[in-house]
Structures are given as structure tokens and as C-alpha cells.
Amino acid sequence: SSIIWYAGSFIDWRDGSTPHVGENQTDRGQFDGVNYTGRANGCAMLVRLSAVREVGLLDENYFLYYEETDWSERFRQAGYGIGFVPEAKVWHRNSSGTGGWGSPLYHYYMTRNRLYMLRKFRTARGARLFLASARRSLIDLAIVARLGGLGASSSCGFAIVAGYCDYALGRFGQRRRLSLGPP
């Protein structure tokens, strides 16, 4: 049997997380049927060209992660629905380009881009935005420490701090220097 990674998703506007529906569940047909979802997943999308012309292209400030979340929200605001079609099956090596969930590169882009996305679409600003994202970052860091030990959490901690710094300094797009550990 197949393990599900994505059967839809939504944006949690409290902290910017985007949990997947059905993640890590065995596919027993529980998500059969076309459904609307809160956001598309960038690993496999089918988008009408006329809609892209109306909404625009992906925002290049993200580079990795959250670009499809931003795009989904722009489509939603333009009145389009976002659907999940279970008959469309894709096999995806999750986060293979960044080293996976426990890698510093993953946590850097997720942190910086989550903040950027929240700023673009939320009305709340300032300290509340940072506190909501900081809570999410601390939860992620605790999980990394539990699964990968202190070395992994230290490297990811530096990457998360770098993500906050680059966000605050307005540095977006691809990060030129990829070493995200201590100097």
C-alpha cells in the first residue's frame, strides 16, 4: 500500500504553517474524490494559463518553499478554487534538494519565507508576527533536537536565526552563501 504525503493542505494564519491533510497515512481510499483545498502543492500542479496571466507568476523572492503557498493565496483572492484530485498520483522525494526536514538549509528557507508570506497576506504586523513564527521555529527546533541530537539542532538553530536576520534585512531569493552553521 502507499503512504500519503499530500491529500490537500491549508494555511494556519496564526503561525504560517501549512500542514498536509493525510500526511503519513496509508492510502485506503479515505481521500478519494475531488475536493477543494486551501493551497496547492508545488511538486505537482496543473494551472490554467488564463488564470496565470491574471494572477501572475510565482514570486521569485521565495526561491525555495512557500512560493506555491503565496501563489495559492493570490489565486484564492482572485476568486479561483484550488482542488485536490486523488487520481493524479505523483511520487515525490520530499525535500531531497535541501537535505530534508532536519537540514539547516530547509529550516533557513522555511523560516525566512514563512515570515515573508505572513507579512504579505496578514494584517497583523510587528512583534505578533515574529512571536507567532518564533513559536513555530522553537517547536521545529525541539523536534530536530529530539530526532537528530544537539549537533543537528545547533546547525538548524543557526539557520533559523539566519532566516530571521535575512527577513529583517530584506534579503530574499536564493541565499548566496549556503553555509548556515556557526562562523
Side-chain angles (χ1 to χ4, degrees), residues 1-5 22 24-30 89-91:
S1 62
S2 299
I3 301 298
I4 296 169
W5 179 64
N24 294 322
Q25 292 182 26
T26 300
D27 186 358
R28 294 186 180 93
Q30 68 272 40
K89 299 199 186 284
V90 174
W91 282 258

Side-chain angles (χ1 to χ4, degrees), residues 109-125:
Y109 282 110
M110 289 298 277
T111 299
R112 187 200 65 185
N113 295 350
R114 179 176 58 240
L115 288 164
Y116 178 63
M117 190 270 308
L118 284 170
R119 184 184 76 198
K120 277 183 76 171
F121 295 108
R122 283 197 56 183
T123 57
R125 298 284 188 264

